[in-house]
Amino acid sequence: MRANNLCVYNTLTRTKELFKPLHEGRVGMYVCGPTVYGDGHLGHARPAITFDILFRYLRYLGYKVRYVRNITDVGHLEHDADEGEDKIAKKARLESLEPMEVVQHYLTRYHKAMEALNVLPPSIEPHASGHIIEQIEYVKKILESGYAYVSEGSVYFDVHKYNADHRYGKLSGRNVEELLATTRALDGQSEKHNPADFALWKKAAPEHIMHWPSPWSEGFPGWHLECSTMGEKYLGETFDIHGGGMDLMFPHHECEIAQSVAHNGHETVHYWMHNNMITINGKKMGKSLGNFITLDEFFTGSHPLLAQAYSPMTIRFFILQAHYRGTVDFSNEALQASEKALGRMLEGYRRLQELKPSATSTISTDGIMEKCLEAMDDDLNTPVVIAHLFDALRLVNSVKDGKATATQEDIDRLKEVFDTFLVEILGIRTDLVGDGSGDSAGALKPFEDAMGLLLDIRAKAKADKDWATSDLIRDRLAAAGFTVKDTKDGAEWSLSK
């Protein structure tokens, strides 16, 4: 185990706290995954990448991590007030498909997008529909605790009663007393005792195509229930980290806390972590607002708002250039800037592999590793890590350009920094093919071999004073996006972007 100085921002306490796992050497982490009724978009990429970074860094520190990311395939209604159709059932009805056909189709596409973004798969990826029995048992225990009631075949959580004994709203900071006071006049207009109450189990309407038998009705679980149930099943009554997007803080995560306390008599999660939103013109990107751009559209450039296609690694780098708790506003200009910055980073990484050692160094690599670790320990501050890597890149370029020298020890230290932080922790693939897919070393080698062959032909042409052929190769490569630079050690190539 490496020394653990990791501090994370705990949404529950609104402070940065030194991370101390409940069980030495082991971490339990639960992150809310997608509701699979449509293609993943940029808003889905951010939590996936944020908690992928946390997963990678915890493993780098030496922890054995059980990372659970759920798949919501039943129970998430169109509105948070337990109204409307199940999102997946609605999609299935509109497309004349079985609900699980919808789930499988979009889940396959989600996994493909995550793989392209180099997001590691979780340890366990449970489906809500595969844990109906456990959810029914969970509801039974909440009913026994007195914090829920049955109404017309549905079961609702009694927020008013719970709030009298505990604090509903502690995570999000909502004033629930005020909420309850302003909504009591609506009592009797629905099967709920209070509009603030939320569904644990919903009785299915006759036309509803997803339903299971229960002691209360043929129905389906409420959306919030699955995470409390599956988190406890796979991580225990208490576990270390629960993550998700900031938009889930209320009502989803607030309801999870209430359910867990009602079920167990105590809270389940030690650290609550939330990433901020990706916005378009200041508005949250999301399916419900109709302003989203799917990941596949980013990769192909097929959306009208996109000026070009953007590779998965450009998207990943774009997201990591902002701190996970800060907002990120989409624009083509911002993505193009990220593309250029990533190009410089990858070009520098390639040049690093070509450095030749000298007997002495005129550069200092002291402290680079430590600075990157300090940034990661400061609540996963990836923008600062990236800034330190660009500082290290200047050293690489100065040596490569003959303006400085480096010993083998310094070159090895630079390689360790880039392999550790750029590749292992930030998860940036270092192949230069540009599609972010495949094995980086395998993809890069034929690319380099082809460039080497062209430069060898050009070198022979120059030696034979065949300037026309030499200039033709240089000019054609330039038109294809490469810069050829003649040095005392021979020609070098780089990407023009």
Side-chain angles (χ1 to χ4, degrees), residues 420-461:
T420 298
F421 291 96
L422 183 67
V423 179
E424 182 180 352
I425 294 173
L426 296 187
I428 299 296
R429 286 179 169 140
T430 54
D431 61 285
L432 301 181
V433 177
D435 65 354
S437 62
D439 174 71
S440 63
L444 182 57
K445 190 176 187 311
F447 192 66
E448 290 182 325
D449 288 348
M451 289 300 299
L453 176 62
L454 285 169
L455 293 183
D456 286 346
I457 294 170
R458 182 172 177 269
K460 186 177 187 309

Short mmCIF file of all heavy atoms in Angstrom, two decimals, residues 420-461:
data_model
loop_
_atom_site.label_atom_id
_atom_site.label_comp_id
_atom_site.label_asym_id
_atom_site.label_seq_id
_atom_site.Cartn_x
_atom_site.Cartn_y
_atom_site.Cartn_z
N THR A 420 2.40 6.64 -15.38
CA THR A 420 1.56 6.57 -14.18
C THR A 420 0.34 7.47 -14.29
O THR A 420 -0.79 7.03 -14.08
CB THR A 420 2.37 6.96 -12.93
OG1 THR A 420 3.43 6.03 -12.76
CG2 THR A 420 1.48 6.94 -11.68
N PHE A 421 0.56 8.73 -14.64
CA PHE A 421 -0.53 9.70 -14.56
C PHE A 421 -1.31 9.83 -15.86
O PHE A 421 -2.55 9.82 -15.85
CB PHE A 421 -0.01 11.05 -14.07
CG PHE A 421 0.42 11.00 -12.64
CD1 PHE A 421 1.75 10.81 -12.30
CD2 PHE A 421 -0.52 11.07 -11.62
CE1 PHE A 421 2.14 10.71 -10.97
CE2 PHE A 421 -0.14 10.97 -10.29
CZ PHE A 421 1.20 10.79 -9.97
N LEU A 422 -0.63 9.95 -16.99
CA LEU A 422 -1.35 10.11 -18.24
C LEU A 422 -2.08 8.83 -18.63
O LEU A 422 -3.25 8.85 -18.99
CB LEU A 422 -0.38 10.52 -19.36
CG LEU A 422 -1.03 10.79 -20.72
CD1 LEU A 422 -1.92 12.04 -20.66
CD2 LEU A 422 0.03 10.96 -21.80
N VAL A 423 -1.37 7.69 -18.52
CA VAL A 423 -1.91 6.43 -19.02
C VAL A 423 -2.71 5.69 -17.95
O VAL A 423 -3.89 5.38 -18.14
CB VAL A 423 -0.77 5.53 -19.56
CG1 VAL A 423 -1.34 4.21 -20.06
CG2 VAL A 423 -0.01 6.25 -20.67
N GLU A 424 -2.07 5.42 -16.79
CA GLU A 424 -2.70 4.55 -15.80
C GLU A 424 -3.83 5.25 -15.05
O GLU A 424 -4.91 4.66 -14.85
CB GLU A 424 -1.64 4.07 -14.79
CG GLU A 424 -2.17 3.11 -13.73
CD GLU A 424 -1.11 2.66 -12.75
OE1 GLU A 424 0.08 2.95 -12.97
OE2 GLU A 424 -1.47 2.03 -11.73
N ILE A 425 -3.63 6.49 -14.62
CA ILE A 425 -4.62 7.15 -13.76
C ILE A 425 -5.61 8.00 -14.57
O ILE A 425 -6.83 7.87 -14.39
CB ILE A 425 -3.92 8.00 -12.68
CG1 ILE A 425 -3.15 7.07 -11.72
CG2 ILE A 425 -4.93 8.86 -11.91
CD1 ILE A 425 -2.28 7.79 -10.72
N LEU A 426 -5.12 8.84 -15.48
CA LEU A 426 -6.04 9.63 -16.30
C LEU A 426 -6.68 8.79 -17.39
O LEU A 426 -7.70 9.18 -17.97
CB LEU A 426 -5.33 10.84 -16.91
CG LEU A 426 -4.80 11.90 -15.93
CD1 LEU A 426 -4.28 13.10 -16.69
CD2 LEU A 426 -5.85 12.31 -14.91
N GLY A 427 -6.08 7.65 -17.71
CA GLY A 427 -6.70 6.73 -18.66
C GLY A 427 -6.66 7.20 -20.10
O GLY A 427 -7.53 6.84 -20.90
N ILE A 428 -5.65 8.00 -20.46
CA ILE A 428 -5.52 8.47 -21.83
C ILE A 428 -4.74 7.44 -22.65
O ILE A 428 -3.62 7.09 -22.30
CB ILE A 428 -4.80 9.84 -21.89
CG1 ILE A 428 -5.62 10.90 -21.13
CG2 ILE A 428 -4.57 10.26 -23.33
CD1 ILE A 428 -6.97 11.20 -21.70
N ARG A 429 -5.35 6.98 -23.71
CA ARG A 429 -4.63 6.07 -24.60
C ARG A 429 -3.60 6.85 -25.40
O ARG A 429 -3.88 7.95 -25.88
CB ARG A 429 -5.61 5.39 -25.54
CG ARG A 429 -6.44 4.32 -24.83
CD ARG A 429 -7.41 3.68 -25.80
NE ARG A 429 -8.01 2.50 -25.20
CZ ARG A 429 -9.28 2.15 -25.31
NH1 ARG A 429 -10.09 2.92 -26.01
NH2 ARG A 429 -9.74 1.06 -24.76
N THR A 430 -2.44 6.28 -25.56
CA THR A 430 -1.34 7.01 -26.18
C THR A 430 -1.12 6.66 -27.64
O THR A 430 -0.13 7.06 -28.23
CB THR A 430 -0.04 6.75 -25.40
OG1 THR A 430 0.17 5.33 -25.31
CG2 THR A 430 -0.13 7.34 -24.00
N ASP A 431 -2.04 5.91 -28.25
CA ASP A 431 -1.93 5.68 -29.69
C ASP A 431 -2.30 6.96 -30.42
O ASP A 431 -3.09 7.77 -29.93
CB ASP A 431 -2.84 4.54 -30.14
CG ASP A 431 -4.29 4.83 -29.86
OD1 ASP A 431 -4.69 4.75 -28.69
OD2 ASP A 431 -5.02 5.15 -30.81
N LEU A 432 -1.74 7.15 -31.57
CA LEU A 432 -1.96 8.39 -32.33
C LEU A 432 -2.87 8.18 -33.53
O LEU A 432 -3.00 9.03 -34.39
CB LEU A 432 -0.62 8.96 -32.82
CG LEU A 432 0.38 9.29 -31.71
CD1 LEU A 432 1.66 9.85 -32.31
CD2 LEU A 432 -0.22 10.28 -30.72
N VAL A 433 -3.53 6.99 -33.59
CA VAL A 433 -4.43 6.73 -34.71
C VAL A 433 -5.63 7.65 -34.67
O VAL A 433 -6.15 8.06 -35.68
CB VAL A 433 -4.84 5.25 -34.72
CG1 VAL A 433 -5.83 4.96 -35.82
CG2 VAL A 433 -3.60 4.38 -34.89
N GLY A 434 -6.10 7.97 -33.45
CA GLY A 434 -7.11 9.00 -33.32
C GLY A 434 -8.50 8.52 -33.00
O GLY A 434 -9.38 9.31 -32.72
N ASP A 435 -8.76 7.19 -33.07
CA ASP A 435 -10.13 6.76 -32.78
C ASP A 435 -10.27 6.26 -31.36
O ASP A 435 -11.36 5.93 -30.93
CB ASP A 435 -10.58 5.67 -33.77
CG ASP A 435 -9.76 4.38 -33.63
OD1 ASP A 435 -8.79 4.39 -32.86
OD2 ASP A 435 -10.11 3.40 -34.29
N GLY A 436 -9.17 6.23 -30.62
CA GLY A 436 -9.24 5.84 -29.21
C GLY A 436 -9.60 4.40 -29.01
O GLY A 436 -10.00 4.03 -27.92
N SER A 437 -9.47 3.55 -30.01
CA SER A 437 -9.84 2.16 -29.83
C SER A 437 -8.63 1.27 -30.02
O SER A 437 -7.66 1.64 -30.66
CB SER A 437 -10.93 1.77 -30.83
OG SER A 437 -10.45 1.92 -32.14
N GLY A 438 -8.71 0.08 -29.43
CA GLY A 438 -7.66 -0.90 -29.63
C GLY A 438 -6.50 -0.74 -28.69
O GLY A 438 -6.40 0.20 -27.91
N ASP A 439 -5.58 -1.64 -28.77
CA ASP A 439 -4.38 -1.63 -27.95
C ASP A 439 -3.46 -0.51 -28.42
O ASP A 439 -3.12 -0.42 -29.60
CB ASP A 439 -3.68 -2.98 -28.05
CG ASP A 439 -2.34 -2.98 -27.34
OD1 ASP A 439 -2.35 -2.96 -26.12
OD2 ASP A 439 -1.31 -3.01 -28.04
N SER A 440 -3.01 0.34 -27.49
CA SER A 440 -2.26 1.52 -27.90
C SER A 440 -0.92 1.15 -28.52
O SER A 440 -0.53 1.70 -29.56
CB SER A 440 -2.04 2.44 -26.69
OG SER A 440 -1.27 1.80 -25.70
N ALA A 441 -0.18 0.22 -27.91
CA ALA A 441 1.12 -0.14 -28.45
C ALA A 441 0.96 -0.79 -29.82
O ALA A 441 1.68 -0.49 -30.77
CB ALA A 441 1.83 -1.08 -27.49
N GLY A 442 -0.02 -1.67 -29.95
CA GLY A 442 -0.25 -2.36 -31.21
C GLY A 442 -0.69 -1.41 -32.30
O GLY A 442 -0.32 -1.56 -33.47
N ALA A 443 -1.51 -0.41 -31.95
CA ALA A 443 -1.99 0.55 -32.94
C ALA A 443 -0.88 1.51 -33.36
O ALA A 443 -0.82 1.93 -34.52
CB ALA A 443 -3.18 1.32 -32.38
N LEU A 444 0.01 1.85 -32.44
CA LEU A 444 1.03 2.85 -32.72
C LEU A 444 2.16 2.31 -33.59
O LEU A 444 2.67 3.01 -34.45
CB LEU A 444 1.59 3.37 -31.38
CG LEU A 444 2.66 4.46 -31.45
CD1 LEU A 444 2.12 5.66 -32.21
CD2 LEU A 444 3.10 4.86 -30.06
N LYS A 445 2.52 1.04 -33.41
CA LYS A 445 3.70 0.51 -34.10
C LYS A 445 3.60 0.56 -35.62
O LYS A 445 4.49 1.09 -36.29
CB LYS A 445 4.01 -0.90 -33.61
CG LYS A 445 5.37 -1.41 -34.11
CD LYS A 445 5.71 -2.75 -33.55
CE LYS A 445 7.13 -3.14 -33.93
NZ LYS A 445 7.42 -2.99 -35.35
N PRO A 446 2.51 0.03 -36.23
CA PRO A 446 2.44 0.11 -37.69
C PRO A 446 2.37 1.55 -38.20
O PRO A 446 2.87 1.86 -39.28
CB PRO A 446 1.16 -0.66 -38.04
CG PRO A 446 0.39 -0.75 -36.78
CD PRO A 446 1.39 -0.74 -35.67
N PHE A 447 1.77 2.42 -37.40
CA PHE A 447 1.69 3.84 -37.74
C PHE A 447 3.10 4.43 -37.82
O PHE A 447 3.47 5.09 -38.79
CB PHE A 447 0.86 4.52 -36.65
CG PHE A 447 0.43 5.92 -36.96
CD1 PHE A 447 -0.44 6.18 -37.99
CD2 PHE A 447 0.90 6.98 -36.20
CE1 PHE A 447 -0.87 7.47 -38.27
CE2 PHE A 447 0.49 8.26 -36.46
CZ PHE A 447 -0.40 8.52 -37.50
N GLU A 448 3.92 4.15 -36.80
CA GLU A 448 5.30 4.65 -36.77
C GLU A 448 6.15 4.01 -37.87
O GLU A 448 6.98 4.68 -38.50
CB GLU A 448 5.92 4.38 -35.40
CG GLU A 448 5.33 5.23 -34.29
CD GLU A 448 6.02 4.96 -32.96
OE1 GLU A 448 6.40 3.79 -32.72
OE2 GLU A 448 6.16 5.90 -32.17
N ASP A 449 5.93 2.71 -38.10
CA ASP A 449 6.71 2.02 -39.13
C ASP A 449 6.46 2.63 -40.51
O ASP A 449 7.39 2.80 -41.31
CB ASP A 449 6.35 0.53 -39.15
CG ASP A 449 6.89 -0.22 -37.93
OD1 ASP A 449 7.72 0.36 -37.21
OD2 ASP A 449 6.46 -1.36 -37.71
N ALA A 450 5.18 2.94 -40.78
CA ALA A 450 4.85 3.54 -42.08
C ALA A 450 5.51 4.91 -42.23
O ALA A 450 6.06 5.24 -43.30
CB ALA A 450 3.34 3.65 -42.22
N MET A 451 5.48 5.72 -41.17
CA MET A 451 6.12 7.03 -41.22
C MET A 451 7.63 6.89 -41.37
O MET A 451 8.28 7.64 -42.13
CB MET A 451 5.78 7.83 -39.96
CG MET A 451 4.34 8.31 -39.89
SD MET A 451 3.88 9.40 -41.25
CE MET A 451 5.01 10.76 -41.01
N GLY A 452 8.20 5.91 -40.66
CA GLY A 452 9.64 5.68 -40.77
C GLY A 452 10.05 5.31 -42.18
O GLY A 452 11.08 5.78 -42.70
N LEU A 453 9.24 4.47 -42.84
CA LEU A 453 9.52 4.08 -44.22
C LEU A 453 9.50 5.28 -45.16
O LEU A 453 10.40 5.46 -46.00
CB LEU A 453 8.50 3.03 -44.67
CG LEU A 453 8.58 2.57 -46.13
CD1 LEU A 453 9.92 1.89 -46.40
CD2 LEU A 453 7.43 1.63 -46.46
N LEU A 454 8.48 6.13 -45.01
CA LEU A 454 8.39 7.32 -45.86
C LEU A 454 9.58 8.25 -45.65
O LEU A 454 10.14 8.81 -46.61
CB LEU A 454 7.08 8.07 -45.57
CG LEU A 454 5.81 7.43 -46.14
CD1 LEU A 454 4.58 8.12 -45.56
CD2 LEU A 454 5.80 7.52 -47.66
N LEU A 455 10.00 8.42 -44.40
CA LEU A 455 11.13 9.32 -44.13
C LEU A 455 12.44 8.71 -44.63
O LEU A 455 13.36 9.44 -45.03
CB LEU A 455 11.20 9.64 -42.63
CG LEU A 455 10.03 10.48 -42.09
CD1 LEU A 455 10.24 10.80 -40.62
CD2 LEU A 455 9.86 11.78 -42.89
N ASP A 456 12.54 7.37 -44.58
CA ASP A 456 13.74 6.72 -45.14
C ASP A 456 13.82 6.94 -46.65
O ASP A 456 14.91 7.22 -47.20
CB ASP A 456 13.71 5.21 -44.84
CG ASP A 456 14.01 4.89 -43.39
OD1 ASP A 456 14.51 5.80 -42.68
OD2 ASP A 456 13.74 3.75 -42.97
N ILE A 457 12.67 6.82 -47.33
CA ILE A 457 12.64 7.06 -48.78
C ILE A 457 13.02 8.51 -49.08
O ILE A 457 13.78 8.81 -50.01
CB ILE A 457 11.24 6.73 -49.34
CG1 ILE A 457 10.96 5.22 -49.21
CG2 ILE A 457 11.12 7.17 -50.80
CD1 ILE A 457 9.53 4.83 -49.52
N ARG A 458 12.49 9.42 -48.24
CA ARG A 458 12.81 10.85 -48.43
C ARG A 458 14.29 11.11 -48.20
O ARG A 458 14.93 11.88 -48.93
CB ARG A 458 11.96 11.68 -47.48
CG ARG A 458 12.18 13.19 -47.63
CD ARG A 458 11.17 13.99 -46.81
NE ARG A 458 11.43 15.42 -46.88
CZ ARG A 458 12.22 16.08 -46.03
NH1 ARG A 458 12.81 15.44 -45.03
NH2 ARG A 458 12.40 17.38 -46.17
N ALA A 459 14.88 10.45 -47.16
CA ALA A 459 16.30 10.64 -46.87
C ALA A 459 17.17 10.16 -48.04
O ALA A 459 18.17 10.80 -48.40
CB ALA A 459 16.67 9.89 -45.59
N LYS A 460 16.78 9.03 -48.64
CA LYS A 460 17.53 8.52 -49.79
C LYS A 460 17.41 9.47 -50.98
O LYS A 460 18.39 9.72 -51.70
CB LYS A 460 17.04 7.13 -50.16
CG LYS A 460 17.87 6.46 -51.27
CD LYS A 460 17.41 5.07 -51.56
CE LYS A 460 18.37 4.37 -52.55
NZ LYS A 460 18.65 5.16 -53.75
N ALA A 461 16.19 10.01 -51.15
CA ALA A 461 16.00 10.97 -52.24
C ALA A 461 16.89 12.19 -52.05
O ALA A 461 17.50 12.70 -53.01
CB ALA A 461 14.53 11.37 -52.33
#
